[in-house]
Every structure is written in structure tokens, then in C-alpha cells.
């Protein structure tokens, strides 16, 4: 069937103004916040569950693939329309209502296009917030958080998105609506909700999400320590955790990053430091006071040149703004960046950081590091200018070597950004064929025709259920 | 469908490539918030400019991407890589001006430059309004305030500071200037008023891309303020434009002039100890501050408004992170549907804060919000009232 017929039917299904097929406009949906690009057949802007279902039914009758997209702030190309047949992009930004807040049970039903920070703002009057706080929280959507099982600085204490989703209403690839999970503490049956969170849009489109809200901490203390040696900073991170303290957040930035964020926020950060640690403690006032003093002592004991405590909410907000704007701010050095996301055991943080810097140096590239040190989630950020001949090849080569180094050190492929298109072909570094076949089986159970965000997460040609003759020993099933 | 064969916008490729597509600007953009469309987001607009700069044809959809922008420049404040969105957009519009600015819009701007004509029309409009001669549909499209039939003339009181009187401001909101003069006089500062040359700052021309006309107007304005006394401005949009003359005109003289320009609240906040006392017996008053984008994102001096108001009223914030109200200079008349959708969100934030009155330091925003049913006053009028000066 032709694209023209598909577009005509989509227009019948949800209205002409909700379906865009102008080539110029469609180009704007070719990419997310990563550097990968694809192309799409049409862009749909449904405003309700019924409309999403109508779009997916239409795609089914045309045997056409589709990709869900929230705010498009993903960093692994998860929402990039790709594959042999250009998919339909289903944008959820118009589904942006907070439907119901249950203060007593600390639950809220929201639509997928609600912006993460807007959700926290909407429930703030009840003393509640939505805990996952990715750096893009001012723009990213809750639907996108679900798809990527997003993390964020404060997930060190509160846990990643999966811990904050109670139930989901999902439109499957054939247009059917199902509810996954439930509001009971222990819903019956298999945890299909848990399967769906982090599935990167490969199992359907969540159109109503029931989130668990968290009580705002009574008291918060934020510390900023600067080091003249990166190794000392990394050792201080382990020492804090070994001292039995789990901060709400424990973040590190290196010299390159300190320089660019300071230029943007002007927070008075010491730009001559080799590393900065941002540590946040929250809870009851007494405990926070004691822990804050203990952390401060540990940091000083590991060579911190100075340890400052945020005087008030304004200062705290500025420090966090500095941390959260790092990715965008690097554009002041060069216009393109390639941001990595891998997790390594905290104990090898120092070695892996050294290795990352050496790899970048060997390729003649500049790398900045800003990351969730507390859980060993590294974000090496390679900065480059695409217009420089041959540079992209070098960036990809460095990227590949960084991933390999992390995996060798016992790490994982992705901490929180997902696999998407970016790391799809690196899956085999961590998973055996049998592992991937098992993942494909699960995915096929939700989407037997393979039309739901095709081309993502699993390398093309991954064998499916029953296609693999035997399961080798040691497979990660 | 290609509208024209030109494919170069004359934009600096380095500036365009500063946008790394992170999307952190999305939620601050009023048109993205109400439409959810990438084509109506800062990131989408920059991507579109890049496409055309790299050779894509200028199509209807590109023009829509460009013309649907309110030019609130909130994206500029939000952007961690400091993309100069305002100048990218102005330069793009300047390159497109010949094909995109409709004749009647150019004509309307010509009227703004001619104060006597504007005053005459305003007077006629006031009479017509009272006689119900203006069709209601047109009236709400232009968000006309209740116009005064006769305006009290303003009198200069000295020469310590200049007050910029402007076009729309002077004709439609002369009481605001009167309030500023009253407050400054009570603080012991004499106010000088410019001659007819300072009629129009050229902001609307700049936003529409009519750059050369804007430069001419800038020259006229500058020569109306001789000497080196500070030039105070009580309209956020005009203040932003006057402060931009250095860049727009590109001469040392213009840069020196721009350095003399201050938003009136900013200037007063630095002298807050001299502010006149609240008049005896004034009851409680809750004021919600609406930040005009040209104060918050362009001049970056929205906080002084709170400092100046705080002795006179209890100030509450709107819980919408200062997103634009949709007025956007001529935007509300040019794109009424989008502008109304944006205004609706602002009105909900105002309802939630439940103030007695909203303070807005820009005539465009005030008229536009009042047109939506909000009770709006200029902060300086509130100060003068609470101090018993007017
Ligand atoms: S915040 Fe700046 S860099 Fe990021 S998408 Fe917006 S304009 Fe581009
Ligand atoms: S200037 Fe305002 S309306 Fe235009 S893109 Fe930026 S935020 Fe959006």
C-alpha cells in the first residue's frame, strides 16, 4: 500500500489537522536530542487514547511501522524514525493533562505528554513530587521517562522511574487497549508493567500512566566540594558511600564542564578545580545535620580544597542548574556532542575515568565528564564540530572504545538513556545471541508483527522465539 | 510549494550550529506549549532556519514556522548553549520581509510613527467605541482598551532624568507616564520630556524584519534625548529596543545612548530608600506580577519590579515560570487564535494566584490580558496610587 493511502486514512481516523505530511515539517521530526537521524512517512498529533488507538489501527491495516515520540529529548535515538520503511511518528505532546491526583495514596494518573517538571509542579501544593529527575526534566515527558526507565541525580536514593510507576494503560500495536500493573501493592500475575517500563517504545504506547508520588523531604542540605585531583574526588565518592551514608544525589563534574557551566549560570564555581562534587542529603532535620557534617569531614579527609554548604534554596537551585545544563552548555566549545551513558562499579571509577580520557586523547578529541558518581553512571561527553573532515569517524571510534572499556570494567551499556539506535549494535558486547533471542521473544509477545519502533534496541537479524536451537550455558535469561 | 527561489537567510552558520537540539528550551516556549508541535518550538525553528540556510526552498510551511514565533525570547534565557535566538529570528525575518510582511501591517506601523495621526485616530476610536461603531469582532482582535476621549497633557518637572514617552504608550497609556512623573517628583527627581522625534522606538519594525526603517527611527529617537541624563522607560518592549540600538545601529554613539537607557523599575529599585511612603489608611492589596518577556528575557530586569512594588502591596508569583502571555507586540492581532490559546494559560495561572490586581510593565501585555478579563495595572500606577500621588 502507498504512503498516500496511509496518510489519507490517518486523516480520516483523527482529523486532517492532526496528521502532518509536509516534507519540510516532517524533517523536524527526523531526530531527537542525539545526533542520529531518520525519516518518517507522516507525523500524527493525537490528543486522546482513542486517537492513539485509531492511529495504530490504521497503521496495522496498512502494515506500517510507527514510533512514539514525547518531547524528543532522548539521547540514544529511541524516538528517531528509522528502518527500511519510514515509520509514522506518533507525538504525545498534546496529551499533556494531569488527569487525577490521589493525595492520600500518593498516586496520580497522567497522560504521557505531561512534562516531568510540570507534574512535580502540579502536585507541589500537596507536599509531593515525582522523584525521577533527569537533567532534561524541564522538557522531557513522563511517557519518555517510562520508555527509557529514566534516572536522574536523585535516583541514587529514590530509585529510577520503574520504582515510581504503579500502572499503565497501553495501546498495543494492533490498537487494543490493555492495563498493565495495578494500584494494589502487589498486583497479581506477571509484572508486565515492569517489562513495559524501559522497553523504549517497542511494546506499545502508554496513554495513561499512574505514577507514585513522593513526599517532599522535610530538610535538605547541599554540599559543593572542589578537588585539585580527579582521583581524589572519585575516591571521596566511594568513601562517602562506605561511611554508610546514601545521599539523595552525588554528582561529579570535571574541569572542562565546570568551565562551560560557569559561563552559563555564573554561580561562582571554581573554574580552576579539576573536579567538583555536588552532594545532596535529605530527610529529617536532625539526621540531615549529622550526615551533612559527616560527609563534609569525609570530603575534606580525601583532599577537598573547600566544602561549601548551600545557604538557601536559591543557591541550591543555581548549583543544580549548573549541573543540569551541562550537556547543552558544551556547545560553547563546539557545536556537536556525543554523550555516552554507561555504568561501572564505583570501585573502578578512577581507572575507567582515566581510560576514557586516554581514549579521547589518543583520537585527538576533547572529552568532558559530568555524571552520577554515586551510582557509577558515567556520562563522558565528546565535543566536536561535525564540519571538521573525518571527525565523526574518530568520535565513533572513541565511543566504541569507551563502551568496550566500560564493559571490560564490569559495567553495563546504558545507565539511563537507553539503547535506542545508538547502542543497538553494541548489545552483543554484553548479551549472547540467546539472551537477545529471549528479549526478542518477549517483545514479539507484545508486538508480533514487529511494527512498534522497529530497528531499535535489538540488532537487526536477532533470532526470535524458537529460532535458536539451544540455549548456551551462562545466557542471561 | 516554493514561495520564492531565495534560499539563503544570511545567518551566521556558527550561531546556528550552537543549537545542539537538547530541547531544554521547549517548555519555556509559549507556542510549543499550546501546540505541542516541533515546528512551533525554538529547536524546530532553528532547525528550519538551518535547513533553509543550507539550501532548502522557502516554502509556506517554513514561513509558518517563522511567523508563528511570538519573539518572547524565553528560549534564549533557557538555552544552556546561549543561542542568540532573537537575532537569528530578526535576521531571518529581515531577509524574508519583502515577501512576508503584509502591506497593511507595514501601513499600521507607519501610523505608530506619527503620533498626531495616532492620537487623532485614537480620539476617533474613543468616540466610535462609545457610539458602538467598532464591530465587536475587530475590537477584540485588536484588544482595544477603553480609550480616553481627551488626554491630559504631561508637564516636564526638571532635567535629572528623561522619560521616554513612545507611541502606543503615550497615546493609550498616558496615565502611566503621569504616575512615573509623580513618583519621581515625590522622590526629588525632575523629569524631562522629549520632543516629537521620540515618537516610535521601532521595536515592532525590528520584530517584523523591517530593519532599515528601525535604524532610521533609532536615529530620530537618539537625537531627541541630548545630554547624558539617564533615559527612563516604562514600557518593557520600548526599553528593550532602546537598549538594543548599540547593536542595531552599530555606532559608538548608539552604544553610548543604549548605556543611558534604564527600565524605570530597575532605576527606582537602586534608589528604593527614597520611594514615597504608603498613604495612610491604604488597605491590604495583593498583586501578582506578570513579567513582560522584554523585561524578563531581553532586559533581564524583572526582579526590580517586585522590589519597587513590595513596600506597597503583598506580591505573589504566578506559577507558570514566567511563560509569555501571547501579546507579543503585534502578534495578538496577527495570530489571534494562537495568541488566545497562550493567553488562556496565563489567565488560568492568574486565577490560581487569585490576586486583587495584576501588575504588568508593558502596554501590549496589559491591553491583551485586560482583553481576556484580567484586572491589570502598570506597576508604577499602583505605586503612585498607594502613595496617594494620583
Ligand atoms: S536549549 Fe538551546 S541548544 Fe537546546 S534545543 Fe533549545 S536552542 Fe537548541
Ligand atoms: S521567541 Fe518565544 S515563541 Fe519564539 S521560539 Fe523562542 S520561546 Fe518560542
Amino acid at each position: 500500500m502507498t504512503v498516500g493511502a496511509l496518510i489519507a486514512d490517518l486523516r480520516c481516523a483523527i482529523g486532517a489537522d492532526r496528521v502532518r505530511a509536509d516534507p519540510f515539517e516532517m524533517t523536524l521530526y527526523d531526530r531527537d536530542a542525539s545526533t542520529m537521524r531518520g525519516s518518517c512517512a507522516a507525523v500524527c498529533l493525537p490528543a486522546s487514547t482513542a486517537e492513539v488507538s485509531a492511529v495504530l489501527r490504521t497503521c496495522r491495516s496498512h502494515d506500517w511501522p510507527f514510533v512514539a515520540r514525547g518531547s524528543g529529548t532522548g539521547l540514544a535515538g529511541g524516538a528517531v524514525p528509522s528502518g527500511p520503511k519510514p515509520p509514522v511518528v506518533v507525538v504525545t505532546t498534546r496529551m499533556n493533562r494531569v488527569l487525577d491526583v490521589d493525595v492520600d495514596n500518593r498516586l496520580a494518573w497522567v497522560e504521557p505528554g505531561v512534562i516531568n517538571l510540570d507534574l512535580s509542579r502540579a502536585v507541589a501544593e500537596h507536599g509531593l513530587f515525582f522523584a525521577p529527575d533527569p537533567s532534561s526534566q524541564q522538557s522531557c515527558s513522563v511517557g519518555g521517562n517510562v520508555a527509557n526507565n529514566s534516572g536522574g541525580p536523585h535516583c541514587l536514593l529514590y530509585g529510577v522511574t520503574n520504582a515510581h510507576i504503579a500502572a499503565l494503560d497501553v495501546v498495543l500495536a494492533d490498537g487494543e487497549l490493555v492495563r498493565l500493573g495495578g494500584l494494589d501493592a502487589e498486583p497479581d500475575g506477571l509484572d508486565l508493567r515492569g517489562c513495559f517500563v524501559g522497553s523504549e517504545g517497542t511494546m506499545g504506547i502508554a496513554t495513561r500512566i499512574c505514577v507514585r508520588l513522593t513526599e517532599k523531604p522535610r530538610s535538605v542540605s547541599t554540599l559543593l566540594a572542589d578537588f585539585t585531583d580527579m582521583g581524589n574526588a572519585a575516591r571521596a565518592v566511594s568513601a562517602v558511600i562506605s561511611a554508610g551514608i546514601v545521599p539523595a544525589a552525588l554528582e561529579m563534574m570535571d574541569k572542562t564542564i565546570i568551565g562551560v557551566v560557569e559561563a552559563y549560570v555564573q554561580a561562582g564555581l571554581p573554574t580552576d578545580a579539576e573536579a567538583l562534587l555536588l552532594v545532596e542529603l535529605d530527610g529529617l532535620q536532625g539526621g540531615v545535620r549529622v550526615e551533612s557534617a559527616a560527609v563534609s569531614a569525609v570530603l575534606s579527609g580525601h583532599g577537598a580544597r573547600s566544602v561549601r554548604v548551600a545557604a538557601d534554596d536559591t543557591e541550591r537551585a543555581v548549583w543544580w542548574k549548573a549541573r543540569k545544563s551541562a550537556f547543552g552548555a558544551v556547545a560553547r566549545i563546539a557545536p556537536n556532542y556525543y554523550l555516552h551513558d554507561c555504568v561501572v562499579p564505583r570501585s573502578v571509577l578512577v581507572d575507567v575515568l582515566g581510560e576514557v580520557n586516554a581514549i579521547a586523547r589518543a583520537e585527538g578529541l576533547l572529552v568532558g565528564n559530568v555524571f552520577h558518581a554515586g551510582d557509577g553512571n558515567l556520562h563522558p561527553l565528546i565535543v566536536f564540530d561535525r564540519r571538521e573532515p573525518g571527525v565523526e569517524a574518530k568520535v565513533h571510534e572513541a565511543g566504541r572504545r569507551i563502551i568496550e572499556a566500560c564493559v571490560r570494567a564490569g559495567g553495563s551499556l546504558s545507565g539511563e538513556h537507553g539503547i535506542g539506535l545508538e547502542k543497538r549494535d553494541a548489545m552483543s558486547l554484553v548479551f549472547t545471541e540467546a539472551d537477545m533471542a529471549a528479549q526478542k521473544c518477549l517483545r514479539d509477545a507484545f508486538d508480533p508483527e514487529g511494527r512498534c519502533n522497529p530497528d531499535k534496541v535489538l540488532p537487526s537479524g536477532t533470532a526470535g522465539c524458537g529460532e535458536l536451537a539451544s540455549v548456551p550455558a551462562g545466557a542471561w535469561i | 510549494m516554493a514561495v520564492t527561489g531565495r534560499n539563503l537567510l544570511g545567518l551566521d552558520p556558527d550561531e546556528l550550529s550552537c543549537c545542539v537540539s537538547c530541547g531544554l528550551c521547549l517548555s519555556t516556549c509559549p507556542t510549543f506549549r499550546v501546540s505541542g508541535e516541533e515546528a512551533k518550538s525554538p529547536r524546530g525553528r532553528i532547525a528550519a532556519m538551518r535547513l533553509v540556510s543550507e539550501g532548502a526552498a522557502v516554502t509556506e510551511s517554513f514561513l509558518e514556522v517563522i511567523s508563528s514565533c511570538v519573539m518572547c525570547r524565553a528560549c534564549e534565557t533557557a538555552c544552556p548553549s546561549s543561542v542568540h535566538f532573537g537575532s537569528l529570528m530578526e535576521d531571518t525575518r529581515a531577509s524574508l520581509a519583502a515577501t512576508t510582511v503584509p502591506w497593511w501591517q507595514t501601513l499600521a506601523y507607519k501610523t505608530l510613527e506619527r503620533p498626531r495621526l495616532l492620537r487623532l485616530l485614537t480620539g476617533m476610536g474613543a468616540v466610535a467605541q462609545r457610539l458602538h461603531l467598532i464591530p465587536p469582532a475587530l475590537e477584540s482582535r485588536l484588544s482595544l482598551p477603553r480609550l480616553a476621549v481627551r488626554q491630559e497633557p504631561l508637564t516636564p518637572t526638571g532635567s535629572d532624568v528623561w522619560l521616554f514617552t513612545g507611541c502606543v504608550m503615550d497615546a493609550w497609556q498616558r496615565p502611566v507616564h503621569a504616575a512615573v512623573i509623580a513618583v519621581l517628583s515625590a522622590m526629588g527627581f525632575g523629569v524631562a520630556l522629549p520632543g516629537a522625534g521620540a515618537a516610535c522606538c521601532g521595536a515592532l519594525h525590528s520584530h517584523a524584519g523591517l530593519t532599515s526603517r528601525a535604524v532610521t527611527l533609532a536615529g530620530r529617537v537618539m537625537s531627541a534625548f541630548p545630554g547624558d541624563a539617564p533615559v527612563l522607560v516604562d514600557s518593557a518592549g520600548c526599553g528593550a529596543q532602546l537598549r538594543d540600538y548599540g547593536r542595531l545601529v552599530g555606532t559608538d554613539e548608539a552604544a553610548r545612548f543604549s548605556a543611558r537607557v534604564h527600565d524605570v523599575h530597575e532605576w527606582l529599585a537602586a534608589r528604593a530608600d527614597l520611594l514615597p511612603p504608603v498613604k495612610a489608611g491604604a488597605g491590604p492589596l495583593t498583586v501578582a506580577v506578570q513579567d513582560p518577556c522584554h523585561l524578563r528575557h531581553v532586559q533581564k530586569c524583572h526582579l526590580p519590579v517586585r522590589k519597587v512594588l513590595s513596600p506597597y502591596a503583598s506580591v505573589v508569583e504566578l506559577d507558570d515560570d514566567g511563560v509569555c502571555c501571547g501579546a507579543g507586540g503585534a502578534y495578538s492581532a496577527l495570530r489571534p487564535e494562537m495568541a488566545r490559546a497562550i493567553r488562556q494559560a496565563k489567565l488560568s495561572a492568574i486565577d490560581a494566584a487569585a490576586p486583587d490586581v495584576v501588575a504588568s510593565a508593558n502596554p501590549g501585555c496589559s491591553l491583551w490580558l485586560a482583553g481576556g478579563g484580567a484586572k491589570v495595572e502598570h506597576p508604577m500606577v499602583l505605586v503612585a496610587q498607594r502613595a496617594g500621588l494620583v
Side-chain angles (χ1 to χ4, degrees):
Chain A
M1 280 198 242
T2 65
V3 183
L6 169 75
I7 292 168
D9 282 357
L10 286 169
R11 290 201 161 128
C12 276
I14 60 166
D17 65 320
R18 300 245 159 98
V19 180
R20 306 295 164 81
D22 172 77
F24 192 92
E25 185 171 358
M26 286 197 296
T27 317
L28 305 178
Y29 292 89
D30 279 358
R31 60 176 295 191
D32 54 12
S34 72
T35 51
M36 276 146 285
R37 268 163 212 275
S39 70
C40 59
V43 175
C44 294
L45 297 152
S48 65
T49 298
E51 288 185 1
V52 171
S53 176
V55 168
L56 299 202
R57 272 197 308 271
T58 309
C59 287
R60 184 189 194 192
S61 63
H62 287 257
D63 188 24
W64 213 279
F66 61 88
V67 176
R69 175 188 172 102
S71 304
T73 51
L75 291 158
V80 170
S82 98
K85 210 174 188 179
V88 170
V89 175
V90 185
V91 185
T92 61
T93 49
R94 291 201 178 172
M95 300 177 68
N96 62 354
R97 290 171 306 161
V98 174
L99 300 168
D100 181 42
V101 181
D102 175 352
V103 176
D104 291 340
N105 292 306
R106 294 193 190 144
L107 294 169
W109 279 98
V110 305
E111 292 185 321
V114 170
I115 288 173
N116 175 303
L117 199 57
D118 284 353
L119 171 54
S120 285
R121 213 178 264 148
V123 297
E125 57 172 317
H126 308 297
L128 300 171
F129 73 111
F130 181 55
D133 63 335
S135 292
S136 56
Q137 75 181 129
Q138 71 189 72
S139 293
C140 64
S141 66
V142 176
N145 297 162
V146 168
N148 290 298
N149 192 11
S150 302
H154 288 81
C155 292
L156 180 59
L157 180 64
Y158 294 106
V160 294
T161 302
N162 191 25
H164 304 279
I165 302 299
L168 298 154
D169 283 351
V170 173
V171 179
L172 299 175
D174 58 3
E176 191 196 341
L177 182 68
V178 296
R179 176 161 294 185
L180 307 180
L183 307 188
D184 306 340
E186 241 354 287
D188 297 336
L190 289 172
D191 183 14
L192 296 176
R193 175 209 61 86
C195 278
F196 188 90
V197 177
S199 62
E200 302 192 36
T202 62
M203 294 179 176
I205 300 182
T207 56
R208 280 189 293 255
I209 300 166
C210 183
V211 298
R212 293 189 193 285
L213 301 168
T214 306
E215 194 185 349
K216 271 197 251 175
R218 306 275 168 88
S219 169
V220 183
S221 171
T222 311
L223 287 76
L224 185 74
D226 67 297
F227 293 79
T228 49
D229 178 75
M230 187 85 181
N232 282 346
R235 276 182 288 272
V237 168
S238 290
V240 167
I241 310 268
S242 315
I245 300 169
V246 181
L250 209 179
E251 302 284 307
M252 192 187 307
M253 302 183 221
D254 72 5
K255 191 168 190 168
T256 309
I257 300 294
I258 302 169
V260 290
V261 298
E262 175 58 18
Y264 173 55
V265 297
Q266 288 156 17
L269 305 178
T271 47
D272 62 333
E274 286 298 323
L276 272 188
L277 286 183
L278 188 58
V279 190
E280 191 153 283
L281 300 151
D282 70 21
L284 298 173
Q285 210 173 8
V288 168
R289 210 173 25 233
V290 173
E291 285 190 340
S292 175
V295 168
S296 182
V298 172
L299 297 173
S300 302
H302 281 78
R305 190 167 59 171
S306 72
V307 182
R308 280 156 68 187
V309 181
D312 50 26
D313 286 346
T314 317
E315 190 165 26
R316 181 181 357 272
V318 172
W319 289 356
W320 277 113
K321 187 169 181 194
R323 164 63 185 86
K324 293 194 171 184
S325 46
F327 301 146
V330 294
R332 284 287 127 187
I333 309 180
N336 306 100
Y337 64 74
Y338 188 13
L339 175 62
H340 287 271
D341 166 44
C342 41
V343 185
V344 298
R346 230 174 359 248
S347 55
V348 296
L349 210 51
V350 186
D351 305 337
V352 175
L353 275 174
E355 212 171 325
V356 165
N357 288 334
I359 292 169
R361 245 196 327 273
E363 297 288 343
L365 295 166
L366 182 65
V367 67
N369 285 287
V370 48
F371 57 98
H372 314 308
D375 40 22
N377 188 348
L378 291 181
H379 288 313
L381 187 65
I382 301 177
V383 205
F384 64 101
D385 186 341
R386 170 177 292 159
R387 294 164 298 181
E388 204 177 290
V391 74
E392 279 184 279
K394 282 200 246 169
V395 171
H396 283 108
E397 175 59 16
R400 196 185 56 76
R401 290 177 57 196
I402 288 174
I403 294 175
E404 280 174 7
C406 293
V407 171
R408 240 194 341 269
S412 74
L413 280 184
S414 166
E416 54 189 1
H417 300 165
I419 302 296
L421 207 50
E422 183 203 6
K423 293 196 177 146
R424 183 191 60 185
D425 297 330
M427 287 285 277
S428 55
L429 288 177
V430 178
F431 298 107
T432 65
E433 245 177 274
D435 296 328
M436 288 190 285
Q439 294 181 31
K440 177 111 193 330
C441 278
L442 179 58
R443 180 165 164 175
D444 288 348
F446 280 85
D447 172 30
E449 289 156 8
R451 288 184 295 101
C452 203
N453 208 2
D455 221 27
K456 304 289 167 60
V457 186
L458 295 173
S460 52
T462 300
C465 291
E467 287 171 40
L468 216 65
S470 66
V471 177
W476 284 27
I477 298 182
Chain B
M1 168 197 41
V3 171
T4 146
R6 341 168 29 159
N7 56 13
L8 285 177
L9 300 172
L11 303 176
D12 175 4
D14 284 338
E15 191 58 46
L16 280 174
S17 63
C18 262
C19 172
V20 292
S21 300
C22 66
L24 291 190
C25 51
L26 296 176
S27 57
T28 64
C29 174
T31 56
F32 177 78
R33 285 206 84 110
V34 301
S35 72
E37 294 174 31
E38 196 65 27
K40 293 190 172 62
S41 78
R43 177 173 67 181
R45 290 184 173 118
I46 295 170
M49 291 175 198
R50 203 184 283 143
L51 281 168
V52 171
S53 292
E54 287 168 359
V58 172
T59 59
E60 289 284 1
S61 36
F62 175 69
L63 297 182
E64 169 65 17
V65 165
I66 299 303
S67 67
S68 59
C69 171
V70 195
M71 271 297 262
C72 68
R73 291 167 66 178
C75 48
E76 226 171 272
T77 306
C79 175
S81 61
S82 319
V83 173
H84 295 106
F85 185 89
S87 26
L88 285 175
M89 184 52 89
E90 276 181 14
D91 293 349
T92 301
R93 288 183 176 182
S95 319
L96 296 171
T99 50
T100 54
V101 180
W103 63 270
W104 58 268
Q105 196 182 341
T106 316
L107 190 72
Y109 292 165
K110 283 225 156 58
T111 315
L112 295 178
E113 295 165 19
R114 300 177 55 190
R116 238 175 320 153
L117 180 58
L118 182 62
R119 269 200 295 274
L120 183 68
L121 289 174
T122 306
M124 280 165 49
V127 173
Q129 250 184 352
R130 295 216 180 6
L131 296 175
H132 302 287
L133 289 179
I134 297 183
L138 179 65
E139 205 174 26
S140 78
R141 179 162 171 136
L142 294 176
S143 70
L144 291 180
R146 198 80 184 155
L147 300 172
V149 180
R150 277 194 53 223
Q151 296 262 11
E152 286 300 318
L154 298 169
T155 4
T157 56
S159 59
D160 297 318
V161 292
W162 289 101
L163 178 63
F164 177 79
T165 41
C167 52
V168 178
M169 261 318 251
D170 190 35
W172 288 355
Q173 291 206 328
R174 202 174 281 187
V176 174
H177 298 325
V180 172
I181 296 173
V183 172
L184 284 165
S185 304
M187 295 166 75
F189 298 105
V191 182
L193 298 173
C200 177
C201 66
L204 297 182
H205 303 74
S206 279
H207 298 168
L210 303 169
T211 310
S212 63
R213 189 72 204 134
V215 171
T216 312
L217 291 170
R220 278 209 232 154
V221 168
M222 291 191 289
S223 54
F225 296 93
D228 32 52
V231 178
L232 304 188
V233 188
D234 54 17
S235 149
C238 304
Q241 181 71 3
L242 263 53
R243 286 178 143 173
D244 196 35
Y245 282 176
R247 184 194 69 90
L248 179 74
V249 182
T251 60
D252 287 350
E253 186 208 350
R256 270 196 306 278
F257 176 81
S258 286
R260 281 167 63 203
V261 177
H262 303 274
D263 176 69
V264 66
H265 311 93
E266 185 189 23
W267 198 82
L268 289 176
R271 294 158 183 80
D273 49 329
L274 299 176
L275 283 169
V278 184
K279 85 173 163 207
L285 182 75
T286 308
V287 178
V289 182
Q290 179 266 342
D291 291 322
C293 299
H294 282 92
L295 214 51
R296 184 171 176 131
H297 302 299
V298 183
Q299 301 192 58
K300 304 202 191 299
C301 64
H302 56 297
L303 297 176
V305 175
R306 292 152 176 78
K307 183 155 180 199
V308 169
L309 275 174
S310 58
Y312 302 98
S314 85
V315 176
V316 294
E317 297 290 341
L318 300 178
D319 187 23
D320 62 0
D321 226 10
V323 77
C324 172
C325 69
Y331 189 83
S332 48
L334 297 174
R335 310 285 311 225
E337 227 172 284
M338 180 69 80
R340 279 208 200 99
I342 297 170
R343 176 170 71 185
Q344 201 45 52
K346 179 61 78 181
L347 292 172
S348 313
I350 293 173
D351 277 349
D356 297 318
V357 61
V358 178
S360 174
N362 198 48
C365 307
S366 308
L367 297 179
W368 179 236
L369 288 174
K375 184 163 184 271
V376 193
E377 277 294 1
H378 192 285
M380 291 309 298
V381 169
L382 291 174
V383 169
Q385 284 172 352
R386 303 287 285 173
L389 301 173
V390 292

